[in-house]
Amino acid sequence: MTVLKRFRSESKMQFYATAQKLRRDIMTLLLKDFGVRSKVRQLDIETRRMTTDDRNAFLAIAERYGITAAEAEFPAWLIDFERQSLADLARRLVLSVTAANSIYPTAFADAELRRKHQDNAIATCYQLYQEIDFAAHILPVDLTKYTPLCDSVEYEIALLKGWRKSDNKSYRELQNAV
């Protein structure tokens, strides 16, 4: 018999599925250059600092080729830097979750290693949140585009903390067995 979706409980592996989805969402954002749109500027604004001869020559060339506006881009180095930072953090999150989930603790050392990977995943989420927040405030984009991503990171943090908390009983048992 099936259970209605609204009555279903969360999967025990929801932390893993959310980490994977978060990584995909971040990569989609990065493929779109954070949603940064180039600005179009009129040519007369771009030629203000030119000498009169250079300005006339520039405008003549632009007129000959039908150029009426110039596109101003946001610094590519900043977009590349933030893209690399977020991609690394998203990858590290999934790797930490996978590493922690691959350990079935039967000894206290295993439990400590699993806890370490869980802590690393949580720390990575906080770092990810900070990088997203920085990119949202420094890049000229609509902040509402980043809100679902930040909500996903907060949800993942809650799931990871719940997972870590559920391990506490076995963690204490293994600690006392030493």
Side-chain angles (χ1 to χ4, degrees):
M1 183 166 145
T2 61
V3 178
L4 293 175
K5 188 173 184 177
R6 62 186 165 148
F7 295 124
R8 292 179 196 161
S9 61
E10 272 187 356
S11 163
K12 291 183 179 186
M13 291 286 290
Q14 187 63 42
F15 58 88
Y16 182 75
T18 304
Q20 290 283 15
K21 183 182 182 314
L22 189 58
R23 185 177 184 190
R24 284 191 303 271
D25 291 346
I26 288 171
M27 293 309 292
T28 301
L29 179 69
L30 299 180
L31 288 170
K32 296 177 183 176
D33 287 340
F34 295 95
V36 173
R37 290 200 170 94
S38 299
K39 295 179 182 176
V40 177
R41 296 185 180 161
Q42 299 302 317
L43 290 181
D44 59 345
I45 293 173
E46 296 295 320
T47 60
R48 287 184 182 167
R49 293 177 294 200
M50 294 181 184
T51 64
T52 306
D53 293 337
D54 288 345
R55 183 173 196 258
N56 291 337
F58 179 77
L59 291 174
I61 292 170
E63 185 179 328
R64 184 180 314 146
Y65 291 101
I67 300 171
T68 58
E71 194 173 300
E73 293 182 6
F74 205 76
W77 65 267
L78 180 61
I79 292 174
D80 290 342
F81 178 77
E82 282 303 307
R83 178 186 291 128
Q84 188 63 48
S85 298
L86 283 171
D88 288 344
L89 287 171
R91 179 177 178 269
R92 197 166 54 184
L93 170 64
V94 172
L95 291 177
S96 293
V97 168
T98 304
N101 193 50
S102 68
I103 299 170
Y104 184 78
T106 55
F108 182 66
D110 294 338
E112 281 186 316
L113 187 58
R114 180 177 169 119
R115 171 70 52 106
K116 180 183 170 197
H117 286 300
Q118 288 171 332
D119 289 343
N120 285 340
I122 293 168
T124 302
C125 281
Y126 282 111
Q127 293 167 349
L128 197 54
Y129 187 85
Q130 288 301 317
E131 282 297 315
I132 292 168
D133 185 56
F134 174 74
H137 284 90
I138 199 73
L139 297 172
V141 294
D142 182 16
L143 294 178
T144 58
K145 289 183 178 183
Y146 292 95
T147 304
L149 204 53
C150 290
D151 291 344
S152 294
V153 172
E154 289 174 1
Y155 180 59
E156 178 68 6
I157 291 170
L159 289 172
L160 290 170
K161 285 183 176 182
W163 179 36
R164 184 179 62 183
K165 188 176 180 180
S166 72
D167 281 357
N168 280 345
K169 183 180 177 186
S170 61
Y171 185 78
R172 275 187 249 115
E173 287 173 0
L174 289 170
Q175 188 177 21
N176 292 336
V178 174

